Amino acid sequence: MAQWDRLRQLSDVYRQELHELYDRDALPMDVRHYLSVWIEKQEWLRAAQDPDRAMVLFQDLLSNLDIQHSRFVQEESFLLQHNIRRYKQNFQNYQDDPCTLARNILWFLEKEKEILDRADLAEQVQFLNVAQEAMEISSLQDLERKMAGLRNDMQCMEHTMSCLEEQQDEFDFKFQTYKMEAVVDEAVKKEQMKFFQQLINRLDECRKSTLSDLHKLLDKTEELINLLVKKELVEWQRRQQKACIGAPDSVCLDQLETWFTCVAVCLFQVREFLSKLEELVGKVSYANDPVKAQKPALQKRADTLLKDLLKSSFVVETQPSMPQGKGPLVLRTNVQFSVKTRLLVKFPELNHSMKVNVSMDREAPQIKGYRRFNVLGNNTKALNMAESQSGGMVADFRHLTLKEQKCGGGGKGASDISLSVTEELHIVYFNTVFEQKGLSVELQACSLPVVIISNSSQQQSAWASVLWFNMISQDTKDVLFFANSPAAAWPQFGEMLSWQFLSATKRGLNDAQLEMIAHRLFGKKQSYDNCKVAWSKFSKENPPDTFYVWFDGILVMVKSYLEDLWRDGHIMGFVSKGKEKSLLKKKQRGTFLLRFSESVIGGITFSWVETTITGEPDVKTVQPFTKTDLSQIPFVEIIRNFQILEAENIPENPLLYLYPNTPKDEAFGRYYSERTGDDSPYIKYIKTKLVFVSKENTLDARSPMSCDMAQGEGLEPMNGLYGEAAEQNDTPQPLNSPLEMYHPDPMLSGSPTTQEEDLLTYLNNPNLFGDCDILQNDVGLPELSLHGFNCLPPQSCGSIFQ
């Protein structure tokens, strides 16, 4: 299904994200909608780097807009005619710089994919029932009951205050009437005074009861604030930390916003009740009035609780992130980043009235070399309800940048601690003022620690720091964390590694895969639960090929080239050579599995089981494929067409069954490409196919086909056997075979060659032989036609040769 069609079918929450995305003017949603098919078919990445290609697409875009305009003229859609004409005029501003237009459209398409990925991940989380345990659900239900009880108590308090006011009004009216009547009779006067004393006593009891209820109300409110601030908000912050590094945890703030707002509203009502009591005391007071004695303490307590709640209610909803980063919390100087803050106390009357300011490192540590930064861009914004999916009070900063201050770090008295750039943590601060009903409170929120880099080459190491900090630390202001970083327990560490695959490909790591990684780190053990991984072991030991570089290389390769295969469970991936051998030797001939290389960064290989002459199983492994290979031929096509050259035999594919016993075509058939030369504008070319071939007895791996080989345009990736297959050779061979080209030389066609070499030469370029010359000199060979070579069914070479 087309990407735009999938976006239109998302739930309301994600459609709102789409609407927010297209609030920008760079690509109007109308254009995206009406030209969706054309837009999604174009190579915007190539156009962003190639001005000539960008100009072609720019002209095509204008032509498509003309076609749409004509269509709306025929349909008499006056408003759409006007909009399309205006959009075309705006796009013409890119006449001198079409690459910028291509980059803009590419950015929108990538943001759309992020929305789809989030929606898919949320669906998977729901499907896997990654939900709260029964105890947590019970705790939330208990909190809801307490919230309902607080609301009920507030209603009762309103009734109590109303009764108190009526009682006081009754006393005041009767007492004022008594004073106007000027009773002379002492007995009557004494009786009336006795009556008024009873009224005062009742009023006093009512006031004391009301004050007692207010104390109890504040007790319940304080209990709820402690639950919200010290438990629910802390747990949300921890979930956000884990979500930043790939955990499938919910970080939605809507429920917290409802609870915070409820408690804040109740506390403002308590302040109103206290104001009402002060008003009543101004009308009627007496000796030992409990309101005069208790009201100041109640007022102070209510204000303190309200201020504490408000200070905790200002949070960073979406952590700082760059559009093209590996993840959030890694920022690069002079590159725009976005961040969103939110006030969990939602008062619509404050919409657009609270200004939020952004600053950096207000409490920067005094250590040697610690850098300082200024925040540039629109660093002041109002909290408003228009930029939130749920109508919350948010300030969404989308175009901030950082610039390093030109000043010496540290200075006299500075600590001797020295941190690398990617271990140096910084905090982004946000400040605003809450003013409502006579209460003014300064609020501050701060981001999780960010790593600030100046070069894209530092991004991988910086992301490793982000992973490590947010996996271990719950002190979100500990910018000196890496001065003495603690080790990570294996269960915690393995879970974090699984999150990386889950967030990138929607499939995490299983227990067997994690066990292989643990074995790589700690060696063979009965249990790894008590093992710990040091920070140096993760990202600093044996640079540049650290553990994280190896792991991230695999993750990038899977995300870029193997995502479907990984998500569908066809790649065993993390499996040691010993485990691989024990698994395959129990299976039938031709059974193979796919695993990641332990020595080649970002490499994947496959091993299969053969049967020796004596009937013993023999496991063979091909040299790992890297992004260089996978960018030229899809991995499924390598598996589909891979062939091995054995002495005096026709090349054959040794891969028959994906472990444990799934026929290869059944496992991978749906991924096969069936494109032919007819799909190419050069339909007169001979149909060809790029194939990986291993020559067993020489460790060479060649492609026996060529495309326009006579003109030198053929490209032949080469992979060699290694491992057990290599051990079968009498002469040691290097494990890393270089890429090479096979060019049959017609000047050597008469030289003595082996039958196998002639066959390979013929397969590469049959035009070098006339009337099957390769078969005429050997009467012992049967008469074979070209169709007998099943290793080369005619197919298109694809875009590699265009």
Side-chain angles (χ1 to χ4, degrees):
M1 184 183 297
Q3 183 166 302
W4 186 250
D5 292 335
R6 288 180 61 201
L7 287 163
R8 293 171 59 194
Q9 294 180 15
L10 294 178
S11 62
D12 292 341
V13 172
Y14 296 101
R15 276 203 302 237
Q16 180 61 33
E17 283 192 45
L18 190 65
H19 285 300
E20 292 179 9
L21 173 64
Y22 280 98
D23 281 343
R24 300 163 175 81
D25 296 327
L27 180 62
M29 184 178 276
D30 287 354
V31 174
R32 178 65 179 96
H33 176 74
Y34 290 110
L35 303 185
S36 61
V37 176
W38 178 80
I39 287 175
E40 292 179 27
K41 285 185 176 180
Q42 308 312 310
E43 296 179 332
W44 297 108
L45 178 59
R46 175 185 166 191
Q49 303 166 352
D50 183 354
D52 293 336
R53 182 60 183 166
M55 179 57 71
V56 171
L57 292 183
F58 169 76
Q59 297 294 346
D60 288 348
L61 175 63
L62 298 184
S63 299
N64 277 285
L65 290 175
D66 287 337
I67 293 171
Q68 287 298 322
H69 183 268
S70 301
R71 172 188 162 195
F72 295 141
V73 169
Q74 294 174 359
E75 296 174 356
E76 298 182 354
S77 299
F78 177 78
L79 182 59
L80 290 174
Q81 293 177 45
H82 169 77
N83 288 342
I84 292 295
R85 184 165 54 249
R86 180 165 57 87
Y87 299 150
K88 181 180 177 182
Q89 291 172 351
N90 292 341
F91 281 129
Q92 286 174 338
N93 294 329
Y94 293 102
Q95 177 77 38
D96 297 328
D97 188 14
C99 286
T100 298
L101 174 62
R103 284 193 293 270
N104 288 341
I105 295 177
L106 178 64
W107 184 85
F108 276 92
L109 293 175
E110 290 173 344
K111 285 296 180 183
E112 288 179 3
K113 193 171 187 309
E114 290 178 11
I115 294 174
L116 288 172
D117 288 344
R118 283 195 294 273
D120 290 341
L121 182 58
E123 182 179 352
Q124 184 191 20
V125 169
Q126 184 176 7
F127 175 77
L128 295 175
N129 196 25
V130 183
Q132 293 147 320
E133 298 293 337
M135 185 185 305
E136 294 174 335
I137 294 174
S138 175
S139 174
L140 293 178
Q141 291 173 342
D142 182 56
L143 183 55
E144 279 289 357
R145 284 193 294 268
K146 289 179 178 179
M147 285 289 175
L150 180 64
R151 288 190 289 265
N152 183 64
D153 289 346
M154 293 304 299
Q155 292 176 353
C156 293
M157 196 68 221
E158 287 180 358
H159 178 70
T160 299
M161 291 298 298
S162 178
C163 292
L164 177 63
E165 185 175 16
E166 289 177 2
Q167 188 175 356
Q168 179 168 315
D169 288 345
E170 178 188 2
F171 167 81
D172 189 46
F173 174 76
K174 290 181 178 180
F175 188 69
Q176 295 300 329
T177 302
Y178 160 75
K179 289 196 296 184
M180 286 188 295
E181 289 177 350
V183 177
V184 178
D185 189 322
E186 288 297 327
V188 175
K189 190 175 183 180
K190 187 176 181 179
E191 189 67 28
Q192 286 181 330
M193 289 304 296
K194 184 178 180 180
F195 171 72
F196 285 124
Q197 186 62 51
Q198 291 176 346
L199 290 180
I200 283 290
N201 290 342
R202 285 169 52 195
L203 181 61
D204 185 65
E205 289 297 324
C206 191
R207 284 186 175 182
K208 288 179 179 177
S209 176
T210 301
L211 291 168
S212 177
D213 289 345
L214 283 172
H215 277 292
K216 292 177 182 177
L217 194 58
L218 289 178
D219 287 341
K220 291 184 177 180
T221 304
E222 185 174 11
E223 180 185 1
L224 281 171
I225 290 175
N226 285 334
L227 283 173
L228 289 177
V229 174
K230 297 180 181 179
K231 182 178 182 293
E232 297 299 329
L233 185 60
V234 169
E235 289 179 358
W236 173 82
Q237 289 171 335
R238 183 56 184 156
R239 289 198 303 273
Q240 187 187 48
Q241 268 192 285
K242 295 192 295 182
C244 283
I245 57 174
D249 290 358
S250 171
V251 292
C252 179
L253 282 168
D254 293 350
Q255 184 63 73
L256 273 177
E257 180 188 74
T258 300
W259 290 335
F260 269 79
T261 303
C262 174
V263 176
V265 168
C266 289
L267 284 172
F268 271 109
Q269 283 185 283
V270 169
R271 296 177 82 247
E272 291 176 2
F273 294 152
L274 293 173
S275 297
K276 188 65 177 179
L277 283 176
E278 188 173 4
E279 178 187 333
L280 294 177
V281 169
K283 294 178 180 179
V284 176
S285 188
Y286 46 87
N288 298 322
D289 189 338
V291 173
K292 286 185 176 180
Q294 299 182 39
K295 192 259 181 182
L298 281 170
Q299 185 74 57
K300 182 178 179 180
R301 187 182 180 195
D303 288 350
T304 300
L305 289 175
L306 185 53
K307 288 178 180 179
D308 289 344
L309 181 72
L310 289 170
K311 288 178 180 179
S312 300
S313 68
F314 189 39
V315 299
V316 177
E317 180 177 15
T318 305
Q319 293 294 328
S321 63
M322 299 185 298
Q324 305 299 329
K326 286 182 73 67
L329 304 176
V330 176
L331 306 181
R332 183 178 170 184
T333 52
N334 301 318
V335 174
Q336 287 188 352
F337 68 93
S338 61
V339 61
K340 183 190 291 186
T341 61
R342 181 166 176 173
L343 183 66
L344 298 178
V345 174
K346 181 181 175 181
F347 285 1
E349 57 267 33
L350 295 178
N351 192 27
H352 291 286
S353 66
M354 294 175 62
K355 305 294 184 182
V356 180
N357 298 311
V358 187
S359 59
M360 282 289 296
D361 293 325
R362 289 197 169 189
E363 303 171 5
Q366 295 297 313
I367 67 172
K368 192 174 296 183
Y370 190 88
R371 299 167 299 161
R372 270 51 169 195
F373 296 89
N374 293 324
V375 183
L376 306 180
N378 185 11
N379 55 10
T380 300
K381 199 163 188 179
L383 286 168
N384 66 88
M385 298 188 295
E387 295 182 322
S388 172
Q389 300 173 16
S390 59
M393 297 279 290
V394 305
D396 190 0
F397 297 88
R398 300 181 181 179
H399 306 291
L400 299 177
T401 56
L402 297 176
K403 185 174 182 179
E404 185 174 356
Q405 297 178 11
K406 298 301 181 183
C407 60
K412 289 185 178 180
S415 169
D416 289 335
I417 297 172
S418 180
L419 299 173
S420 68
V421 168
T422 56
E423 293 178 323
E424 191 180 278
L425 301 179
H426 298 263
I427 294 177
V428 185
Y429 290 89
F430 305 86
N431 292 82
T432 188
V433 179
F434 180 95
E435 293 181 333
Q436 177 77 347
K437 298 180 180 179
L439 183 72
S440 179
V441 186
E442 292 186 359
L443 309 182
Q444 184 180 87
C446 57
S447 71
L448 292 171
V450 300
V451 178
I452 302 175
I453 60 177
S454 57
N455 191 290
S456 58
S457 64
Q458 300 168 323
Q459 190 167 98
Q460 186 181 55
S461 182
W463 180 240
S465 298
V466 169
L467 291 176
W468 194 261
F469 177 89
N470 290 287
M471 172 182 61
I472 295 177
S473 178
Q474 297 187 38
D475 181 0
T476 56
K477 293 188 177 180
D478 184 10
V479 295
L480 296 181
F481 173 81
F482 285 103
N484 186 22
S485 173
W490 164 251
Q492 183 183 31
F493 183 76
E495 185 179 41
M496 181 273 289
L497 296 182
S498 182
W499 290 341
Q500 305 316 295
F501 273 84
L502 180 62
S503 60
T505 67
K506 305 179 184 61
R507 184 186 181 93
L509 304 178
N510 59 34
D511 291 342
Q513 291 163 338
L514 289 172
E515 183 179 0
M516 178 270 176
I517 297 174
H519 183 271
R520 177 186 176 95
L521 289 168
F522 311 112
K524 182 64 176 177
K525 293 182 181 296
Q526 284 293 111
S527 173
Y528 298 98
D529 291 346
N530 296 323
C531 295
K532 291 184 178 294
V533 184
W535 163 240
S536 58
K537 183 79 171 179
F538 177 62
S539 185
K540 300 186 73 175
E541 191 175 88
N542 301 321
D545 299 333
T546 65
F547 172 85
Y548 180 67
V549 169
W550 171 75
F551 181 84
D552 189 56
I554 291 171
L555 182 61
V556 171
M557 173 188 62
V558 170
K559 178 63 178 174
S560 301
Y561 303 106
L562 308 170
E563 184 173 352
D564 290 341
L565 296 180
W566 173 263
R567 188 165 56 241
D568 292 342
H570 296 321
I571 300 176
M572 189 172 293
F574 295 99
V575 55
S576 66
K577 295 179 182 178
K579 181 71 172 178
E580 172 191 67
K581 181 177 179 181
S582 65
L583 292 175
L584 289 177
K585 283 198 171 184
K586 300 174 185 177
K587 295 298 177 180
Q588 61 183 315
R589 177 183 179 275
T591 302
F592 67 98
L593 58 78
L594 315 178
R595 68 172 180 86
F596 303 130
S597 172
E598 297 181 62
S599 56
V600 177
I601 302 298
I604 187 170
T605 185
F606 47 77
S607 300
W608 68 94
V609 62
E610 292 279 6
T611 304
T612 65
I613 299 176
T614 60
E616 295 295 322
D618 181 25
V619 176
K620 298 181 179 180
T621 303
V622 75
Q623 181 179 327
F625 300 90
T626 64
K627 65 179 182 180
T628 302
D629 306 312
L630 303 181
S631 63
Q632 299 176 71
I633 314 178
F635 194 48
V636 290
E637 294 299 325
I638 294 176
I639 296 170
R640 178 188 185 185
N641 300 305
F642 179 80
Q643 295 169 359
I644 193 120
L645 289 177
E646 295 181 354
E648 301 180 0
N649 288 326
I650 295 175
E652 65 173 10
N653 191 326
L655 312 179
L656 304 178
Y657 306 98
L658 178 65
Y659 184 89
N661 55 10
T662 307
K664 178 183 63 179
D665 291 341
E666 180 181 325
F668 300 103
R670 73 186 189 91
Y671 307 109
Y672 291 161
S673 171
E674 297 299 337
R675 294 175 59 189
T676 67
D678 295 335
D679 297 326
S680 169
Y682 309 103
I683 57 175
K684 294 182 181 180
Y685 283 179
I686 297 174
K687 300 174 184 178
T688 57
K689 180 199 303 179
L690 193 60
V691 181
F692 276 86
V693 174
S694 287
K695 191 173 180 183
E696 183 180 15
N697 61 344
T698 62
L699 294 181
D700 288 340
R702 297 172 176 167
S703 170
M705 65 58 114
S706 66
C707 181
D708 292 344
M709 186 66 73
Q711 300 177 19
E713 296 177 11
L715 178 61
E716 299 173 353
M718 177 198 61
N719 285 60
L721 296 171
Y722 77 112
E724 293 194 8
E727 293 170 6
Q728 296 176 356
N729 296 284
D730 296 330
T731 304
Q733 297 290 336
L735 296 182
N736 297 319
S737 303
L739 291 174
E740 66 181 30
M741 302 287 293
Y742 185 84
H743 292 286
D745 189 345
M747 298 297 293
L748 302 177
S749 58
S751 62
T753 59
T754 66
Q755 178 184 344
E756 179 186 0
E757 290 170 341
D758 281 342
L759 174 60
L760 184 59
T761 304
Y762 178 80
L763 293 176
N764 272 280
N765 200 333
N767 295 327
L768 299 179
F769 298 88
D771 300 324
C772 295
D773 289 339
I774 190 172
L775 303 177
Q776 291 177 1
N777 295 328
D778 194 335
V779 296
L781 288 176
E783 295 183 358
L784 298 176
S785 68
L786 181 59
H787 299 289
F789 296 106
N790 295 326
C791 58
L792 286 174
Q795 287 194 9
S796 169
C797 58
S799 60
I800 299 173
F801 300 102
Q802 291 177 5

